[in-house]
């Protein structure tokens, strides 16, 4: 059952968004103050364009002030985060731990040996216990339903560190990376070449809201989940963007600004590796793939990367933004945590 405070927060957010959209439709200039304090972050499906932009602005602000200006901003001093990891991680763990510490807070890392959700203690009980011990929880889990149950029972914000359905914190880093590189996001075309997985699902729940076109090329049998496709089609129609699906990676890449892929064999799919490699034959991103893309095309990959997904020539080329993308995992998770725990207002306004 949702807590009363969460119901009120969600209702208020929906009211504000509808009110702002109505003002915009009426041709009136409207100030759009955004507050995400106390919200959970399970999927970008739940966040409107202004809220996503707000997170990105705060992230860019922190990166500028801390990295480039050397400021110390203890915005999370006295606060702690519980980090539940059912799956191993490099970028998610390090970005969250170092980011939370850099902001003055205390991260607590919980491995499967430390906490067995639903085994040694029910997920319901764990959520309630953690709510009394930490200020926010990030969970990297196998099943998205685990996150939903944590969120239902917790009285603190829950962040999705990855589930089999969505990987929203990765997309925040991708968006900031593209905004930094291109200077604006509206009108870009992104092409996904690979598996219809959690990263793609999160792209589908966010790009249209920022005016970005999306093309998807997956082998037959590896398409994204039907429910996500239906919602993405609705979003594309609502925001007037292009959304295309095919099984031809070259055609999908034609004229695109950004080529994106991910692992073909995720954790838990090791037994399927041989078949998957066969099914994804022809989906490797190479300079030949890029030859049909836009002249300014770039490449993204959330890492870790395997050579069969993208060759070295592309991966280590100036067109590859993967290492900036990896670093931005830190600044965007910091921005997100600040948004969910404080009323911090960004001093930077990005061009979208």
């Amino acid at each position: 059952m949702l807590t009363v405070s969460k119901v009120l927060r969600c209702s208020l957010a929906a009211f504000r968004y509808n009110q702002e959209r109505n003002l915009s439709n009426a041709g009136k200039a409207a100030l759009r103050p955004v507050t995400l304090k106390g919200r959970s972050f399970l999927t970008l499906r739940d966040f409107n364009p202004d809220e996503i932009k707000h997170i990105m602005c705060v992230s860019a602000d922190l990166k500028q002030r801390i990295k480039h200006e050397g400021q110390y901003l203890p915005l999370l001093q006295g606060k702690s985060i519980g980090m539940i990891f059912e799956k191993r991680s490099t970028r998610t763990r390090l970005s969250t731990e170092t980011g939370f510490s850099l902001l003055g807070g205390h991260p607590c890392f919980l491995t499967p040996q430390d906490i067995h959700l639903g085994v040694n203690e029910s997920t319901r009980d764990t959520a309630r216990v953690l709510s009394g011990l930490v200020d926010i929880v990030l969970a990297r889990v196998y099943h998205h339903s685990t996150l939903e149950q944590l969120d239902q029972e917790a009285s603190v914000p829950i962040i999705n560190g990855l589930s089999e359905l969505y990987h929203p914190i990765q997309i925040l880093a991708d968006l900031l990376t593209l905004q930094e590189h291109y200077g604006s996001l509206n009108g870009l075309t992104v092409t996904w070449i690979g598996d219809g997985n959690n990263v793609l699902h999160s792209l589908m729940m966010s790009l249209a809201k920022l005016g970005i076109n999306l093309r998807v090329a997956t082998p037959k049998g590896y398409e994204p989940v039907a429910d996500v496709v239906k919602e993405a089609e609705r979003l594309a129609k609502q925001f007037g963007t292009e959304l295309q699906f095919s099984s031809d990676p070259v055609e999908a890449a034609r004229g695109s600004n950004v080529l994106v892929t991910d692992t073909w064999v995720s954790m838990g799919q090791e037994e399927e590796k041989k078949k998957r490699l066969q099914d994804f034959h022809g989906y490797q991103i190479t300079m030949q793939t890029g030859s049909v893309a836009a002249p300014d095309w770039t490449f993204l990959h959330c890492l870790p990367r395997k050579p069969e997904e993208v060759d070295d020539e592309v991966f280590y080329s100036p067109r590859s933004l993967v290492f900036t993308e990896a670093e931005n995992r830190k600044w965007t998770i910091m921005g997100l945590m600040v948004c969910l725990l404080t009323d911090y207002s960004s001093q930077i306004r990005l061009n979208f």
Side-chain angles (χ1 to χ4, degrees):
M1 179 180 293
L2 287 170
T3 63
V4 172
S5 61
K6 284 187 177 180
V7 170
L8 289 174
R9 286 196 299 269
C10 292
S11 298
L12 181 58
F15 170 77
R16 283 175 175 160
Y17 179 48
N18 289 330
Q19 186 180 49
E20 291 161 4
R21 186 170 61 180
N22 289 338
L23 285 173
S24 176
N25 290 339
K28 300 177 181 179
L31 295 176
R32 303 190 177 196
V34 175
T35 177
L36 302 179
K37 186 176 181 181
R39 293 269 299 274
S40 286
F41 189 77
L42 304 190
T43 167
L44 285 159
R45 187 172 189 162
D46 298 334
F47 288 76
N48 68 49
D50 290 335
E51 292 168 341
I52 297 172
K53 292 174 183 178
H54 176 67
I55 297 169
M56 291 178 61
C57 285
V58 172
S59 301
D61 178 282
L62 297 179
K63 185 175 183 179
Q64 175 64 30
R65 296 182 67 186
I66 296 173
K67 179 181 180 179
H68 298 295
E69 298 177 11
Q71 296 185 37
Y72 176 53
L73 300 176
L75 300 173
L76 302 182
Q77 187 169 9
K79 297 187 182 297
S80 58
I81 182 171
M83 301 166 54
I84 301 172
F85 279 68
E86 291 186 334
K87 291 184 174 185
R88 65 184 182 273
S89 167
T90 300
R91 282 148 295 278
T92 300
R93 177 180 178 179
L94 281 176
S95 61
T96 306
E97 279 193 354
T98 59
F100 207 84
S101 296
L102 191 56
L103 291 166
H106 179 71
C108 305
F109 180 68
L110 301 169
T111 71
Q113 286 69 46
D114 300 312
I115 182 171
H116 290 175
L117 283 176
V119 179
N120 291 343
E121 185 173 48
S122 70
T123 302
R124 178 182 186 181
D125 291 356
T126 297
R128 295 187 177 191
V129 169
L130 289 179
S131 294
L133 300 175
V134 299
D135 300 280
I136 192 168
V137 173
L138 179 141
R140 185 179 178 93
V141 299
Y142 283 99
H143 304 297
H144 194 74
S145 58
T146 301
L147 289 166
E148 293 175 331
Q149 188 172 7
L150 283 171
D151 187 44
Q152 287 172 354
E153 299 295 338
S155 57
V156 298
I158 305 295
I159 296 175
N160 179 0
L162 177 143
S163 71
E164 91 289 5
L165 191 57
Y166 294 114
H167 194 4
I169 57 176
Q170 176 61 51
I171 302 325
L172 294 179
D174 295 355
L175 291 171
L176 182 60
T177 302
L178 294 178
Q179 196 283 330
E180 289 175 337
H181 182 82
Y182 289 102
S184 179
L185 297 176
N186 187 57
L188 288 178
T189 296
V190 170
T191 294
W192 175 272
I193 299 174
D195 191 16
N197 65 8
N198 49 7
V199 178
L200 173 59
H201 290 162
S202 288
L203 288 170
M204 293 167 66
M205 293 299 97
S206 56
L207 295 193
K209 297 174 183 178
L210 299 173
I212 303 173
N213 305 308
L214 177 62
R215 300 174 187 167
V216 178
T218 58
K220 294 187 184 302
Y222 294 90
E223 297 86 355
V225 172
D227 177 63
V228 177
V229 171
K230 182 178 180 181
E231 176 63 9
E233 290 173 339
R234 187 192 70 78
L235 290 171
K237 183 177 181 180
Q238 178 183 348
F239 293 99
T241 60
E242 172 190 335
L243 178 63
Q244 294 182 1
F245 298 93
S246 76
S247 57
D248 188 333
V250 175
E251 283 306 309
R254 194 173 301 280
S256 180
N257 304 104
V258 188
L259 306 182
V260 192
T261 192
D262 188 13
T263 181
W264 297 345
V265 185
S266 299
M267 282 181 277
Q269 298 175 333
E270 289 78 8
E271 293 182 0
E272 306 173 28
K273 182 175 181 179
K274 184 176 180 180
K275 182 178 187 304
R276 281 179 166 265
L277 291 181
Q278 292 174 344
D279 292 344
F280 282 85
H281 179 71
Y283 278 75
Q284 183 191 47
I285 294 179
T286 66
M287 285 297 180
Q288 185 175 357
T289 315
S291 68
V292 302
D296 64 349
W297 72 273
T298 55
F299 172 75
L300 294 179
H301 192 303
C302 67
L303 307 180
R305 159 259 185 179
K306 304 294 189 302
E308 60 264 20
E309 301 149 7
V310 54
D311 68 8
D312 284 356
E313 188 178 10
V314 171
F315 188 75
Y316 293 109
S317 76
R319 293 185 180 276
S320 175
L321 305 179
V322 296
F323 297 110
T324 300
E325 178 187 13
E327 180 192 339
N328 279 338
R329 284 292 305 276
K330 178 174 181 172
W331 302 110
T332 50
I333 192 65
M334 289 169 65
L336 176 64
M337 294 185 297
V338 166
C339 287
L340 301 184
L341 288 174
T342 77
D343 290 315
Y344 181 79
S345 180
S346 171
Q347 298 179 11
I348 288 178
R349 293 295 179 265
L350 297 176
N351 179 26
F352 293 101

